[in-house]
Amino acid sequence: MADSFDLLIIGSGPGGYVAAIRAAQLGMKVACVEKYPALGGTCLNVGCIPSKALLDSSELFAQAKHGFGAHGIRVEPQLDLATMHARKDQVVKELTRGVEGLFRKNKVERVIGVGRITAPGSVEVTGSEGTRTLATQRILIATGSKPARLPGIEYDDRRIVHSTHALTLPEVPRRLLVIGAGAIGLELGSVWLRLGSEVTVLEYMDRVVPGMDAKSGALLQRSLEKQGMKFRLATSASAARVEGDEVLVTVAPREGGAASEERCDVLLVAVGRRAYTDGLGAVEAGVKLDDKGRVMVDESYQTNVPGIFAIGDVIAGPMLAHKAEEEGIAAVEKMAGLAGHVAYECVPNIVYTWPELASVGMTEEEAAAKEVQVAVGTFPFLANGRAKAMGEREGQVKILADAKTDRILGAHVLGPRASDLIAELATAMELGATAEDVARSVHAHPTLPEAVKEAALAVAKRAIHI
């Protein structure tokens, strides 16, 4: 194997492996260092993919229990959790092997071991076969993130767990307490709720999915409550201890007041993620981190040390796989002298509950804070023919357009397949489209995207079907 490269990437998650493939397409000699036996990073192995596999399986189980009857289908489903986990693991295996195949196709060298930057242009990799030093013109840090810890609460990986452990629980907990009402907490809470757990979600802020559109978040909370999920907002958790088969969690109102103890069988801590730079050697090589431990980069994703770059969760910005992918492509294209670009205002954000919540661009709250005058159009799925045929009556599409130019500034979709529907609006924003452009586009009937067209029409107060 060669020991000198044009680009050496540390981390094979969505940012790292996509960057490796694009760099190889551009003619670079590329190596990708990964310490785990499977490629794909957190997303493929213990994040996006396995969680979506469980979400889809648990949604089918819930449909069989509660929804099939309305369609004239009589069944009495029984849960086989072991088979559900096995299916999830098979999905993961197929996709990680797919990345291996892409590396071979594009002649990206895979290096198994822990990578440590010893100097600009030099990376030491320690693996089962010893230590190897690799020389490279450029280093791209793509080490991603790890679950954040909550002060006073220590994981035991069995009763007190983070998102990775919550994907592999061997049995359905009777009572699941989730700390954090963001995407991870609500998604994993939904999985176990559908499979039979009593789920309570604690959130420090006064609403769920903080940072997303407030009205859409409130509608999502209402929908999840109908499904049986309970919420305690503006509440903090300061300690947890295991006693026998229970976890005792100390909670208190955020604004002060008497503390109390909550009992559960499993405590899931889902309070976000932190940039992962442990043992990387970046700081020792002179790379600057910000006050949150993230690698600081310029507009070309280069750190303050020439030749060392970084992308994805390890730098500032939303910790999203698709954001990391686009940064990986943009970074290597810039290295090659091309015009790499990421339109951060057009990066979608999705909560894969059911209904799903997807957003892109500004919220009404952000527009108000920036004193941007917007026209808002909404359209409920209750009035969409395909949604009604599917039995999906909850949620809406909301579009925000500049009040003067009509250019779309943001969009928020709560409803069936919102994760798919948001793509049209992200593309529209990327191309600088107006609400009128979307409203004038022909949408097939009957389809869910017609709700997007109607919301665009509603910006100018001329929705047809409501």
Side-chain angles (χ1 to χ4, degrees):
M1 291 189 293
D3 289 319
S4 181
F5 300 90
D6 298 318
L7 174 64
L8 190 145
I9 300 169
I10 304 176
S12 71
Y17 86 72
V18 168
I21 293 168
R22 183 64 181 127
Q25 290 175 344
L26 292 169
M28 297 184 198
K29 186 178 180 181
V30 186
C32 185
V33 178
E34 174 56 64
K35 67 180 181 179
Y36 293 115
L39 298 172
T42 293
C43 177
L44 264 67
N45 289 280
V46 293
C48 317
I49 299 304
S51 66
K52 302 313 164 283
L54 283 182
L55 279 160
D56 283 339
S57 293
S58 63
E59 175 61 23
L60 288 173
F61 182 72
Q63 282 288 328
K65 285 185 70 176
H66 308 296
F68 282 5
H71 295 271
I73 305 170
R74 306 297 179 192
V75 295
E76 294 183 7
Q78 292 183 323
L79 176 63
D80 182 348
L81 185 58
T83 298
M84 191 176 287
H85 279 315
R87 175 188 174 276
K88 169 203 66 183
D89 295 342
Q90 183 61 30
V91 170
V92 169
K93 184 182 294 185
E94 289 174 6
L95 287 171
T96 56
R97 286 180 176 173
V99 178
E100 291 178 16
L102 290 170
F103 272 16
R104 289 192 296 271
K105 174 185 175 183
N106 291 279
K107 296 180 174 57
V108 174
E109 182 171 329
R110 177 187 179 186
V111 184
I112 302 174
V114 178
R116 184 174 67 86
I117 301 170
T118 54
S122 180
V123 173
E124 183 181 87
V125 182
T126 303
S128 59
E129 298 180 359
T131 299
R132 177 183 173 198
T133 299
L134 306 175
T136 179
Q137 289 186 31
R138 307 174 190 86
I139 297 168
L140 178 61
I141 300 169
T143 47
S145 61
K146 294 289 183 182
R149 293 182 177 273
L150 196 60
I153 298 178
E154 295 295 325
Y155 299 120
D156 71 353
D157 303 353
R158 180 172 169 268
R159 296 282 177 189
I160 304 176
V161 303
H162 55 62
S163 57
T164 299
H165 311 129
L167 293 168
T168 58
L169 296 179
E171 59 185 27
V172 178
R174 187 169 66 85
R175 297 163 300 174
L176 174 67
L177 186 64
V178 181
I179 302 176
I184 295 173
L186 296 184
E187 289 174 15
L188 291 174
S190 290
V191 166
W192 296 107
L193 176 73
R194 296 165 186 167
L195 299 182
S197 289
E198 297 175 10
V199 177
T200 301
V201 180
L202 306 181
E203 170 56 48
Y204 184 76
M205 303 299 288
D206 58 3
R207 60 189 178 97
V208 305
V209 287
M212 296 186 78
D213 178 67
K215 292 178 182 176
S216 298
L219 290 174
L220 174 60
Q221 180 183 338
R222 186 187 309 168
S223 178
L224 293 174
E225 286 174 335
K226 288 180 183 177
Q227 297 170 40
M229 191 175 289
K230 298 176 182 177
F231 291 89
R232 291 185 60 180
L233 304 179
T235 300
S236 65
S238 58
R241 68 184 189 279
V242 177
E243 287 190 1
D245 292 334
E246 290 187 318
V247 184
L248 276 65
V249 186
T250 303
V251 301
R254 183 186 66 184
E255 303 299 335
S260 61
E261 279 193 335
E262 289 280 340
R263 293 176 178 267
C264 59
D265 300 288
V266 173
L267 172 65
L268 168 58
V269 180
V271 292
R273 300 179 66 86
R274 64 173 181 85
Y276 185 65
T277 57
D278 302 2
L280 181 61
V283 174
E284 292 80 355
V287 173
K288 291 183 179 179
L289 307 183
D290 65 16
D291 57 359
K292 294 184 178 179
R294 301 173 299 193
V295 177
M296 299 175 67
V297 296
D298 63 15
E299 65 278 0
S300 295
Y301 304 98
Q302 186 164 221
T303 69
N304 60 297
V305 179
I308 300 180
F309 301 77
I311 58 166
D313 287 6
V314 81
I315 69 172
M319 291 184 172
L320 301 168
H322 44 284
K323 176 254 197 188
E325 290 181 6
E326 297 304 323
E327 287 178 341
I329 291 171
V332 298
E333 288 181 342
K334 285 174 176 285
M335 293 175 196
L338 302 177
H341 170 70
V342 179
Y344 287 101
E345 70 277 10
C346 300
V347 175
N349 192 11
I350 300 160
V351 182
Y352 293 89
T353 49
W354 197 269
E356 295 178 333
L357 174 58
S359 68
V360 62
M362 278 189 183
T363 64
E364 284 190 80
E365 296 76 27
E366 289 169 341
K370 295 178 180 179
E371 298 183 344
V372 176
Q373 297 297 314
V374 293
V376 180
T378 63
F379 189 80
F381 282 103
L382 180 65
N384 174 265
R386 185 61 190 274
K388 190 168 291 189
M390 294 168 62
E392 300 292 343
R393 296 166 176 256
E394 294 191 308
Q396 65 177 22
V397 179
K398 175 193 286 189
I399 295 176
L400 280 66
D402 187 292
K404 295 180 180 178
T405 67
D406 195 42
R407 185 170 178 171
I408 298 173
L409 300 179
H412 311 277
V413 184
L414 176 73
R417 300 299 171 204
S419 56
D420 299 325
L421 297 176
I422 202 66
E424 174 185 358
L425 291 159
T427 300
M429 287 179 59
E430 181 87 34
L431 298 176
T434 63
E436 181 74 5
D437 290 329
V438 174
R440 293 286 180 183
S441 300
V442 179
H443 289 63
H445 175 77
T447 61
L448 296 174
E450 286 181 289
V452 174
K453 176 185 175 74
E454 290 278 2
L457 284 166
V459 170
K461 296 182 171 33
R462 64 176 203 271
I464 299 297
H465 289 95
I466 195 169

